[in-house]
Amino acid sequence: MATGAAQTILSPEEYISFERKFVPDAETVRHEYVKGKIISMSGASRAHNLISFNIAAELHPQIRDREIEVYIGEMRVGSPTIASYFYPDIVVVSQEPEFEDDVFDTLRNPIVIIEILSPSTEAFDRGEKFSHYRQIESLQEYIIVSQDKVNVERFLRKPDEWGYTSFQDINQQIPIASIACELSLEKIYERVTFPD
């Protein structure tokens, strides 16, 4: 959940060094990195946290005996073709994870990225961030989840475009084709209350 860009322009190497130096401190916020600027990440709402946990909990039994790993909120994602780094709400890797270096904190080959929208990040998550994510060759599906209403949108990579499907019925199942899993909207939104 991004809040604002810092004034300092950093190289990708300076950003990684900065983030590794300060992130282990529990009182320090994480930062994403876009075009040389760092963007501070704010805390998440109750609904955001519930949705993240619900998705991970539903994926876990489906991937338990497979070569798939799911990371929640703390795994940085980067790409060799773009100088940007993000912390997706949920990121999935299939097969052997590829990391930027031997610190193993920057994933290079996600297959699925899930972002939970908030009013302050929605435009960025749908626009510029998705534009950067599309440059990651391994990425097959991008899923965005609303936290203020039942609405999940899935973008699926096709040979020449990204296909789009919206899910708004609480009884629907969302297929995640790239990892042969499903998510139930009812389970995604379990215990989540919506504003009137």
Side-chain angles (χ1 to χ4, degrees), residues 107-147:
L107 184 69
R108 298 295 283 272
N109 64 329
I111 192 166
V112 178
I113 289 177
I114 301 173
E115 293 284 6
I116 300 160
L117 301 177
S118 70
S120 64
T121 66
E122 182 170 356
F124 184 63
D125 288 346
R126 290 181 181 282
E128 185 173 358
K129 187 181 273 191
F130 185 32
S131 170
H132 288 272
Y133 285 157
R134 287 194 304 263
Q135 304 306 311
I136 302 172
E137 290 182 16
S138 62
L139 186 66
Q140 296 300 307
E141 292 178 80
Y142 180 54
I143 298 170
I144 52 178
V145 182
S146 296
Q147 63 174 305

Tab-separated table of all heavy atoms in Angstrom, residues 107-147:
chain	number	residue	atom	x	y	z
A	107	LEU	N	12.563	-11.684	-5.551
A	107	LEU	CA	12.148	-12.734	-6.476
A	107	LEU	C	12.118	-12.215	-7.903
A	107	LEU	O	11.629	-11.114	-8.160
A	107	LEU	CB	10.762	-13.250	-6.078
A	107	LEU	CG	10.200	-14.416	-6.875
A	107	LEU	CD1	10.994	-15.689	-6.587
A	107	LEU	CD2	8.726	-14.621	-6.512
A	108	ARG	N	12.621	-13.016	-8.844
A	108	ARG	CA	12.670	-12.600	-10.249
A	108	ARG	C	11.661	-13.330	-11.138
A	108	ARG	O	11.453	-12.938	-12.274
A	108	ARG	CB	14.070	-12.864	-10.808
A	108	ARG	CG	15.173	-12.099	-10.125
A	108	ARG	CD	15.083	-10.606	-10.315
A	108	ARG	NE	15.517	-10.148	-11.594
A	108	ARG	CZ	16.756	-9.822	-11.915
A	108	ARG	NH1	17.708	-9.914	-11.027
A	108	ARG	NH2	17.040	-9.391	-13.111
A	109	ASN	N	11.055	-14.449	-10.671
A	109	ASN	CA	10.208	-15.240	-11.561
A	109	ASN	C	8.831	-15.577	-10.983
A	109	ASN	O	8.429	-16.733	-10.944
A	109	ASN	CB	10.945	-16.516	-11.971
A	109	ASN	CG	11.225	-17.440	-10.798
A	109	ASN	OD1	11.408	-17.010	-9.670
A	109	ASN	ND2	11.264	-18.734	-11.076
A	110	PRO	N	8.069	-14.561	-10.560
A	110	PRO	CA	6.716	-14.862	-10.084
A	110	PRO	C	5.841	-15.352	-11.230
A	110	PRO	O	6.020	-14.940	-12.376
A	110	PRO	CB	6.220	-13.515	-9.557
A	110	PRO	CG	6.941	-12.514	-10.404
A	110	PRO	CD	8.316	-13.117	-10.618
A	111	ILE	N	4.892	-16.225	-10.910
A	111	ILE	CA	3.947	-16.676	-11.931
A	111	ILE	C	2.572	-16.036	-11.718
A	111	ILE	O	1.838	-15.789	-12.656
A	111	ILE	CB	3.869	-18.220	-11.983
A	111	ILE	CG1	3.130	-18.678	-13.230
A	111	ILE	CG2	3.252	-18.799	-10.716
A	111	ILE	CD1	3.289	-20.160	-13.542
A	112	VAL	N	2.240	-15.747	-10.444
A	112	VAL	CA	0.975	-15.077	-10.096
A	112	VAL	C	1.282	-13.977	-9.099
A	112	VAL	O	2.048	-14.184	-8.148
A	112	VAL	CB	-0.037	-16.060	-9.456
A	112	VAL	CG1	-1.334	-15.333	-9.061
A	112	VAL	CG2	-0.351	-17.226	-10.387
A	113	ILE	N	0.693	-12.804	-9.324
A	113	ILE	CA	0.773	-11.700	-8.362
A	113	ILE	C	-0.646	-11.280	-8.028
A	113	ILE	O	-1.488	-11.116	-8.916
A	113	ILE	CB	1.576	-10.510	-8.924
A	113	ILE	CG1	3.064	-10.871	-9.014
A	113	ILE	CG2	1.373	-9.263	-8.059
A	113	ILE	CD1	3.943	-9.795	-9.623
A	114	ILE	N	-0.902	-11.108	-6.729
A	114	ILE	CA	-2.222	-10.668	-6.258
A	114	ILE	C	-2.029	-9.390	-5.457
A	114	ILE	O	-1.209	-9.339	-4.530
A	114	ILE	CB	-2.892	-11.750	-5.388
A	114	ILE	CG1	-3.060	-13.050	-6.190
A	114	ILE	CG2	-4.243	-11.249	-4.855
A	114	ILE	CD1	-3.559	-14.239	-5.380
A	115	GLU	N	-2.776	-8.361	-5.824
A	115	GLU	CA	-2.770	-7.097	-5.096
A	115	GLU	C	-4.169	-6.843	-4.544
A	115	GLU	O	-5.168	-7.080	-5.224
A	115	GLU	CB	-2.374	-5.924	-6.003
A	115	GLU	CG	-0.940	-5.953	-6.488
A	115	GLU	CD	0.092	-5.536	-5.440
A	115	GLU	OE1	-0.281	-5.322	-4.260
A	115	GLU	OE2	1.276	-5.434	-5.802
A	116	ILE	N	-4.233	-6.365	-3.313
A	116	ILE	CA	-5.499	-5.997	-2.682
A	116	ILE	C	-5.602	-4.485	-2.731
A	116	ILE	O	-4.725	-3.774	-2.218
A	116	ILE	CB	-5.565	-6.543	-1.241
A	116	ILE	CG1	-5.454	-8.065	-1.293
A	116	ILE	CG2	-6.851	-6.104	-0.554
A	116	ILE	CD1	-5.033	-8.709	-0.018
A	117	LEU	N	-6.643	-3.999	-3.382
A	117	LEU	CA	-6.771	-2.569	-3.638
A	117	LEU	C	-7.178	-1.798	-2.393
A	117	LEU	O	-7.911	-2.294	-1.547
A	117	LEU	CB	-7.824	-2.326	-4.724
A	117	LEU	CG	-7.581	-2.985	-6.078
A	117	LEU	CD1	-8.752	-2.695	-7.005
A	117	LEU	CD2	-6.282	-2.506	-6.696
A	118	SER	N	-6.714	-0.569	-2.323
A	118	SER	CA	-7.185	0.384	-1.326
A	118	SER	C	-7.436	1.689	-2.071
A	118	SER	O	-6.931	1.882	-3.183
A	118	SER	CB	-6.147	0.573	-0.223
A	118	SER	OG	-5.026	1.262	-0.730
A	119	PRO	N	-8.222	2.591	-1.485
A	119	PRO	CA	-8.492	3.855	-2.184
A	119	PRO	C	-7.223	4.612	-2.576
A	119	PRO	O	-7.157	5.213	-3.640
A	119	PRO	CB	-9.322	4.652	-1.167
A	119	PRO	CG	-9.984	3.606	-0.330
A	119	PRO	CD	-8.981	2.472	-0.236
A	120	SER	N	-6.181	4.554	-1.736
A	120	SER	CA	-4.968	5.316	-2.027
A	120	SER	C	-4.072	4.662	-3.078
A	120	SER	O	-3.223	5.324	-3.658
A	120	SER	CB	-4.165	5.531	-0.734
A	120	SER	OG	-3.729	4.292	-0.213
A	121	THR	N	-4.233	3.360	-3.338
A	121	THR	CA	-3.341	2.674	-4.279
A	121	THR	C	-4.026	2.141	-5.522
A	121	THR	O	-3.355	1.641	-6.416
A	121	THR	CB	-2.637	1.483	-3.591
A	121	THR	OG1	-3.617	0.491	-3.239
A	121	THR	CG2	-1.868	1.927	-2.364
A	122	GLU	N	-5.339	2.210	-5.583
A	122	GLU	CA	-6.061	1.555	-6.677
A	122	GLU	C	-5.592	1.992	-8.056
A	122	GLU	O	-5.303	1.156	-8.922
A	122	GLU	CB	-7.573	1.778	-6.551
A	122	GLU	CG	-8.349	1.080	-7.633
A	122	GLU	CD	-9.849	1.078	-7.393
A	122	GLU	OE1	-10.312	1.547	-6.345
A	122	GLU	OE2	-10.566	0.586	-8.297
A	123	ALA	N	-5.488	3.289	-8.290
A	123	ALA	CA	-5.083	3.770	-9.616
A	123	ALA	C	-3.671	3.288	-9.958
A	123	ALA	O	-3.403	2.863	-11.089
A	123	ALA	CB	-5.157	5.294	-9.671
A	124	PHE	N	-2.769	3.322	-8.999
A	124	PHE	CA	-1.390	2.879	-9.222
A	124	PHE	C	-1.331	1.376	-9.489
A	124	PHE	O	-0.639	0.919	-10.401
A	124	PHE	CB	-0.542	3.250	-8.002
A	124	PHE	CG	0.919	2.919	-8.151
A	124	PHE	CD1	1.695	3.527	-9.128
A	124	PHE	CD2	1.521	2.011	-7.303
A	124	PHE	CE1	3.050	3.223	-9.265
A	124	PHE	CE2	2.872	1.700	-7.424
A	124	PHE	CZ	3.636	2.311	-8.408
A	125	ASP	N	-2.071	0.580	-8.683
A	125	ASP	CA	-2.076	-0.878	-8.861
A	125	ASP	C	-2.648	-1.278	-10.219
A	125	ASP	O	-2.174	-2.228	-10.846
A	125	ASP	CB	-2.879	-1.552	-7.749
A	125	ASP	CG	-2.172	-1.510	-6.402
A	125	ASP	OD1	-0.969	-1.201	-6.363
A	125	ASP	OD2	-2.826	-1.800	-5.381
A	126	ARG	N	-3.663	-0.567	-10.672
A	126	ARG	CA	-4.270	-0.878	-11.974
A	126	ARG	C	-3.444	-0.364	-13.142
A	126	ARG	O	-3.463	-0.933	-14.218
A	126	ARG	CB	-5.657	-0.240	-12.072
A	126	ARG	CG	-6.704	-0.843	-11.206
A	126	ARG	CD	-8.036	-0.117	-11.416
A	126	ARG	NE	-9.062	-0.661	-10.576
A	126	ARG	CZ	-9.713	-1.791	-10.816
A	126	ARG	NH1	-9.415	-2.491	-11.889
A	126	ARG	NH2	-10.644	-2.215	-9.994
A	127	GLY	N	-2.737	0.713	-12.934
A	127	GLY	CA	-2.036	1.386	-14.018
A	127	GLY	C	-0.547	1.119	-14.071
A	127	GLY	O	-0.093	0.122	-14.621
A	128	GLU	N	0.226	2.034	-13.468
A	128	GLU	CA	1.683	1.957	-13.600
A	128	GLU	C	2.267	0.663	-13.043
A	128	GLU	O	3.145	0.053	-13.645
A	128	GLU	CB	2.342	3.164	-12.922
A	128	GLU	CG	3.835	3.194	-13.148
A	128	GLU	CD	4.490	4.466	-12.620
A	128	GLU	OE1	3.792	5.361	-12.110
A	128	GLU	OE2	5.724	4.541	-12.718
A	129	LYS	N	1.771	0.226	-11.878
A	129	LYS	CA	2.327	-1.002	-11.294
A	129	LYS	C	2.066	-2.198	-12.203
A	129	LYS	O	2.962	-3.004	-12.448
A	129	LYS	CB	1.737	-1.262	-9.909
A	129	LYS	CG	2.402	-2.432	-9.198
A	129	LYS	CD	1.790	-2.696	-7.835
A	129	LYS	CE	2.430	-1.878	-6.767
A	129	LYS	NZ	2.030	-2.300	-5.395
A	130	PHE	N	0.849	-2.319	-12.730
A	130	PHE	CA	0.543	-3.426	-13.640
A	130	PHE	C	1.384	-3.328	-14.909
A	130	PHE	O	1.834	-4.329	-15.456
A	130	PHE	CB	-0.951	-3.467	-13.958
A	130	PHE	CG	-1.381	-4.629	-14.798
A	130	PHE	CD1	-0.749	-5.868	-14.720
A	130	PHE	CD2	-2.438	-4.499	-15.682
A	130	PHE	CE1	-1.159	-6.952	-15.509
A	130	PHE	CE2	-2.855	-5.570	-16.460
A	130	PHE	CZ	-2.216	-6.789	-16.376
A	131	SER	N	1.649	-2.109	-15.364
A	131	SER	CA	2.509	-1.917	-16.532
A	131	SER	C	3.904	-2.494	-16.278
A	131	SER	O	4.487	-3.152	-17.144
A	131	SER	CB	2.597	-0.424	-16.859
A	131	SER	OG	3.581	-0.180	-17.821
A	132	HIS	N	4.428	-2.280	-15.087
A	132	HIS	CA	5.735	-2.840	-14.721
A	132	HIS	C	5.650	-4.354	-14.579
A	132	HIS	O	6.533	-5.076	-15.053
A	132	HIS	CB	6.251	-2.213	-13.433
A	132	HIS	CG	6.700	-0.797	-13.604
A	132	HIS	ND1	7.970	-0.461	-13.977
A	132	HIS	CD2	6.027	0.370	-13.463
A	132	HIS	CE1	8.077	0.862	-14.049
A	132	HIS	NE2	6.913	1.384	-13.746
A	133	TYR	N	4.608	-4.839	-13.928
A	133	TYR	CA	4.452	-6.281	-13.762
A	133	TYR	C	4.392	-7.010	-15.105
A	133	TYR	O	4.914	-8.112	-15.249
A	133	TYR	CB	3.194	-6.610	-12.957
A	133	TYR	CG	3.277	-6.369	-11.472
A	133	TYR	CD1	2.109	-6.178	-10.726
A	133	TYR	CD2	4.486	-6.355	-10.785
A	133	TYR	CE1	2.157	-5.978	-9.360
A	133	TYR	CE2	4.545	-6.147	-9.416
A	133	TYR	CZ	3.371	-5.966	-8.707
A	133	TYR	OH	3.419	-5.782	-7.350
A	134	ARG	N	3.743	-6.399	-16.075
A	134	ARG	CA	3.613	-7.054	-17.394
A	134	ARG	C	4.961	-7.296	-18.063
A	134	ARG	O	5.073	-8.127	-18.961
A	134	ARG	CB	2.720	-6.222	-18.322
A	134	ARG	CG	1.254	-6.291	-17.965
A	134	ARG	CD	0.354	-5.747	-19.076
A	134	ARG	NE	0.655	-4.401	-19.478
A	134	ARG	CZ	0.033	-3.312	-19.042
A	134	ARG	NH1	-0.935	-3.409	-18.139
A	134	ARG	NH2	0.368	-2.125	-19.486
A	135	GLN	N	6.001	-6.592	-17.639
A	135	GLN	CA	7.332	-6.773	-18.217
A	135	GLN	C	8.049	-7.996	-17.658
A	135	GLN	O	9.100	-8.388	-18.163
A	135	GLN	CB	8.182	-5.524	-17.970
A	135	GLN	CG	7.565	-4.237	-18.493
A	135	GLN	CD	7.196	-4.300	-19.955
A	135	GLN	OE1	8.000	-4.715	-20.782
A	135	GLN	NE2	5.964	-3.926	-20.275
A	136	ILE	N	7.514	-8.597	-16.611
A	136	ILE	CA	8.125	-9.781	-16.014
A	136	ILE	C	7.697	-10.996	-16.836
A	136	ILE	O	6.525	-11.365	-16.859
A	136	ILE	CB	7.707	-9.939	-14.539
A	136	ILE	CG1	8.114	-8.696	-13.743
A	136	ILE	CG2	8.326	-11.205	-13.943
A	136	ILE	CD1	7.582	-8.673	-12.313
A	137	GLU	N	8.638	-11.597	-17.532
A	137	GLU	CA	8.325	-12.665	-18.487
A	137	GLU	C	7.630	-13.860	-17.867
A	137	GLU	O	6.771	-14.478	-18.493
A	137	GLU	CB	9.597	-13.127	-19.204
A	137	GLU	CG	10.149	-12.098	-20.165
A	137	GLU	CD	11.378	-12.590	-20.905
A	137	GLU	OE1	11.633	-13.809	-20.915
A	137	GLU	OE2	12.072	-11.745	-21.485
A	138	SER	N	7.956	-14.215	-16.641
A	138	SER	CA	7.369	-15.393	-16.004
A	138	SER	C	5.925	-15.180	-15.570
A	138	SER	O	5.176	-16.145	-15.391
A	138	SER	CB	8.197	-15.800	-14.781
A	138	SER	OG	8.178	-14.750	-13.820
A	139	LEU	N	5.504	-13.922	-15.400
A	139	LEU	CA	4.180	-13.638	-14.850
A	139	LEU	C	3.083	-14.065	-15.813
A	139	LEU	O	3.043	-13.638	-16.966
A	139	LEU	CB	4.035	-12.147	-14.524
A	139	LEU	CG	2.728	-11.778	-13.804
A	139	LEU	CD1	2.683	-12.392	-12.411
A	139	LEU	CD2	2.571	-10.264	-13.732
A	140	GLN	N	2.164	-14.888	-15.325
A	140	GLN	CA	1.058	-15.382	-16.142
A	140	GLN	C	-0.293	-14.810	-15.724
A	140	GLN	O	-1.204	-14.715	-16.543
A	140	GLN	CB	0.988	-16.915	-16.072
A	140	GLN	CG	2.208	-17.600	-16.652
A	140	GLN	CD	2.419	-17.250	-18.114
A	140	GLN	OE1	1.521	-17.394	-18.935
A	140	GLN	NE2	3.607	-16.765	-18.449
A	141	GLU	N	-0.444	-14.471	-14.438
A	141	GLU	CA	-1.725	-13.956	-13.960
A	141	GLU	C	-1.514	-12.839	-12.952
A	141	GLU	O	-0.644	-12.925	-12.091
A	141	GLU	CB	-2.555	-15.080	-13.327
A	141	GLU	CG	-2.999	-16.103	-14.372
A	141	GLU	CD	-3.773	-17.261	-13.797
A	141	GLU	OE1	-4.980	-17.081	-13.539
A	141	GLU	OE2	-3.168	-18.334	-13.620
A	142	TYR	N	-2.330	-11.801	-13.117
A	142	TYR	CA	-2.351	-10.676	-12.188
A	142	TYR	C	-3.770	-10.558	-11.684
A	142	TYR	O	-4.710	-10.431	-12.480
A	142	TYR	CB	-1.904	-9.396	-12.895
A	142	TYR	CG	-1.887	-8.163	-12.016
A	142	TYR	CD1	-1.184	-8.137	-10.816
A	142	TYR	CD2	-2.556	-7.001	-12.399
A	142	TYR	CE1	-1.148	-7.001	-10.026
A	142	TYR	CE2	-2.521	-5.855	-11.619
A	142	TYR	CZ	-1.815	-5.860	-10.436
A	142	TYR	OH	-1.779	-4.734	-9.655
A	143	ILE	N	-3.935	-10.632	-10.372
A	143	ILE	CA	-5.270	-10.621	-9.770
A	143	ILE	C	-5.351	-9.437	-8.821
A	143	ILE	O	-4.478	-9.259	-7.962
A	143	ILE	CB	-5.532	-11.946	-9.020
A	143	ILE	CG1	-5.492	-13.112	-10.015
A	143	ILE	CG2	-6.864	-11.905	-8.280
A	143	ILE	CD1	-5.492	-14.486	-9.393
A	144	ILE	N	-6.407	-8.633	-8.986
A	144	ILE	CA	-6.617	-7.516	-8.075
A	144	ILE	C	-7.939	-7.721	-7.346
A	144	ILE	O	-8.950	-8.098	-7.938
A	144	ILE	CB	-6.538	-6.151	-8.785
A	144	ILE	CG1	-7.449	-6.062	-10.001
A	144	ILE	CG2	-5.112	-5.849	-9.188
A	144	ILE	CD1	-7.404	-4.708	-10.682
A	145	VAL	N	-7.897	-7.488	-6.037
A	145	VAL	CA	-9.023	-7.789	-5.154
A	145	VAL	C	-9.469	-6.506	-4.473
A	145	VAL	O	-8.662	-5.830	-3.815
A	145	VAL	CB	-8.605	-8.827	-4.083
A	145	VAL	CG1	-9.793	-9.174	-3.178
A	145	VAL	CG2	-8.029	-10.082	-4.729
A	146	SER	N	-10.746	-6.158	-4.615
A	146	SER	CA	-11.295	-5.005	-3.907
A	146	SER	C	-11.507	-5.378	-2.455
A	146	SER	O	-11.873	-6.503	-2.145
A	146	SER	CB	-12.637	-4.581	-4.519
A	146	SER	OG	-12.464	-4.136	-5.839
A	147	GLN	N	-11.296	-4.430	-1.561
A	147	GLN	CA	-11.553	-4.718	-0.152
A	147	GLN	C	-12.815	-4.051	0.360
A	147	GLN	O	-13.256	-4.332	1.473
A	147	GLN	CB	-10.356	-4.330	0.722
A	147	GLN	CG	-10.002	-2.865	0.732
A	147	GLN	CD	-8.895	-2.557	1.725
A	147	GLN	OE1	-9.007	-2.876	2.907
A	147	GLN	NE2	-7.830	-1.949	1.246
